Amino acid sequence: MVMDTTFKTVLAVILITLLGYTTSFLVPIPASWSGSALGFYWTLADSVLFTLLHAGAAVLFLSAIGTYKAALRTAYIKIAFGIVLVGGGLAQVVFLNIFGLIKTPWVQYGGVMLPFVIAGLSIYLGTRSMAATIGVRSVLRSIWFMAPLLVVYVTIVILLPHASSPLPEPVFDISNAISTWDVVLYGASLGLVLKIRTYSGKHYAKAISWLAIGLTGSVVITMYVLIATLISGVPPTGVLINSIVTIGGLLYLKAGYSFARTKEL
Amino acid sequence: MVVFKNLMSRQQSEIMTNALDLAKTAAGFASNQTVIEPLIAETKQISNQSYFGSQLSRTDEEELFNIYLQIEKYLMTADPIRTFNKEELRSKASVGLRTRLENYEHNLAPLPPQLMT
């Protein structure tokens, strides 16, 4: 069987991801880890898994950009950068936790949340550029609509009653504000992608649909993080969140693969 | 792996033998369908009126070639996300279909001045 380049790329991404996942079980447990050995390995392996899946998705998105004009290339790069930051940001939280770096200034001064802020913005700006390039008209493209919308939602979430948290109130509020920021920006990106879907030809239908599914995954994940944090007072951890983040990575991988396929006629 | 299909084996089955498929496929490559909406509407009209799995009439085929050439020109010069070339757009047309298209195209082209007299 002869394999084409896109298929080889996705195979390589899957193999590297599996290799990274299994290699995680060979890492020595640091002295800072206070939980069980199994807990350490599953946590580390999961974070490696969703980081590599998101990075692989970005590679696939970027593998097709040579085919397209400069404006769409810029849009693709923004989306891919955002996807990498989603995976990297989530993995970073896990790494900081397992290597006992929670008390570092990077975490204490909120730097840890920066990838999530930039990821949401980058993916939104990418889909916005894509919509503008194609000529899609939507209120979701307007900064004058999006900025007040973000302010309103963030304010509402900060004012919502919540369970008591071990985190200082301002840190807790900033964390929830960032989750809200992402929910709104992923939601707006999803709206734009669905609008693009109605404009685009059949050739792009599958790729755009998968991007919409990937973004739906991001909306669900960030919404879950936000609601769980408000209910329990701490961000969710464990098998459930790791599993849905992994599924989110797989959805972006499929979206990236479908986009890579659009270069072929 | 079914989700990530290797599409190499699909190539042969995609060869187009009629002008309707040629026009429809080309329309599917446009990133903004609204720009070529009148051409899509014309294609649908011909499809609805005269094509029931049988051969297209010569007039319908010529009309579809005309539509295809307009879409092809749009894809090669004005599509906002990608610049296509004639060869890649026509690569899935069967030899017979491509010959008929090129004959039609040749007949449309203005005659050189020396042949006008």
Side-chain angles (χ1 to χ4, degrees), chain B residues 49-88:
Chain B
Q49 284 176 357
S50 61
Y51 188 66
F52 300 100
S54 57
Q55 287 242 320
L56 287 164
S57 70
R58 189 182 169 87
T59 317
D60 286 340
E61 184 173 83
E62 286 185 350
E63 183 57 33
L64 286 164
F65 282 153
N66 180 38
I67 291 168
Y68 170 78
L69 290 171
Q70 290 180 67
I71 296 171
E72 185 186 72
K73 187 180 177 190
Y74 168 79
L75 293 172
M76 287 165 53
T77 59
D79 189 83
I81 68 168
R82 181 170 178 169
T83 305
F84 294 84
N85 67 60
K86 193 179 277 190
E87 195 48 47
E88 65 182 352

Side-chain angles (χ1 to χ4, degrees), chain A residues 4 7 69 199 257 265, chain B residues 4-6 33 79 92:
Chain A
D4 57 84
F7 192 71
K69 290 183 180 175
Y199 277 64
Y257 179 76
L265 297 189
Chain B
F4 301 104
K5 280 184 278 189
N6 178 13
Q33 298 282 288
D79 189 83
K92 297 279 168 66

Side-chain angles (χ1 to χ4, degrees), chain A residues 38-199:
Chain A
L38 199 61
F40 171 80
Y41 285 122
W42 281 123
T43 309
L44 180 63
D46 281 348
S47 69
V48 168
L49 178 67
F50 46 67
T51 302
L52 291 176
L53 281 176
H54 283 83
V59 167
L60 282 161
F61 268 102
L62 295 177
S63 71
I65 62 169
T67 311
Y68 293 100
K69 290 183 180 175
L72 195 75
R73 282 205 294 269
T74 310
Y76 266 67
I77 289 167
K78 287 175 192 167
I79 293 170
F81 181 62
I83 291 171
V84 168
L85 283 179
V86 171
L90 290 163
Q92 173 207 216
V93 175
V94 177
F95 275 95
L96 292 168
N97 189 27
I98 60 180
F99 291 104
L101 301 170
I102 294 296
K103 302 282 183 196
T104 56
W106 174 251
V107 179
Q108 297 298 306
Y109 291 99
V112 69
M113 298 304 280
L114 205 57
F116 300 103
V117 176
I118 301 171
L121 188 63
S122 187
I123 289 176
Y124 168 69
L125 291 176
T127 52
R128 185 172 173 268
S129 299
M130 195 185 276
T133 304
I134 292 169
V136 172
R137 289 180 187 172
S138 168
V139 70
L140 296 172
R141 269 180 59 194
S142 166
I143 297 296
W144 299 110
F145 175 78
M146 288 303 297
L149 191 73
L150 280 164
V151 171
V152 168
Y153 273 101
V154 165
T155 309
I156 290 171
V157 167
I158 287 174
L159 295 175
L160 280 176
H162 59 81
S164 75
S165 172
L167 297 168
E169 189 65 20
V171 175
F172 185 77
D173 286 342
I174 290 169
S175 164
N176 291 332
I178 290 168
S179 294
T180 310
W181 164 276
D182 278 342
V183 170
V184 173
L185 290 177
Y186 291 144
S189 304
L190 175 60
L192 281 172
V193 168
L194 291 173
K195 195 79 192 276
I196 292 169
R197 174 76 181 77
T198 65
Y199 277 64

Side-chain angles (χ1 to χ4, degrees), chain A residues 1-4 7 10-11 14 67-69 133-134 199-204 254 257 261-263 265, chain B residues 1 3-8 14 27-34 79-84 88-89 92:
Chain A
M1 184 177 70
V2 183
M3 288 191 286
D4 57 84
F7 192 71
V10 79
L11 263 186
I14 291 169
T67 311
Y68 293 100
K69 290 183 180 175
T133 304
I134 292 169
Y199 277 64
S200 296
K202 196 180 166 192
H203 182 66
Y204 304 100
K254 174 61 185 172
Y257 179 76
R261 279 265 172 242
T262 62
K263 67 184 172 193
L265 297 189
Chain B
M1 274 300 124
V3 181
F4 301 104
K5 280 184 278 189
N6 178 13
L7 302 178
M8 281 303 285
E14 284 182 346
F29 294 139
S31 58
N32 186 344
Q33 298 282 288
T34 57
D79 189 83
I81 68 168
R82 181 170 178 169
T83 305
F84 294 84
E88 65 182 352
L89 287 169
K92 297 279 168 66

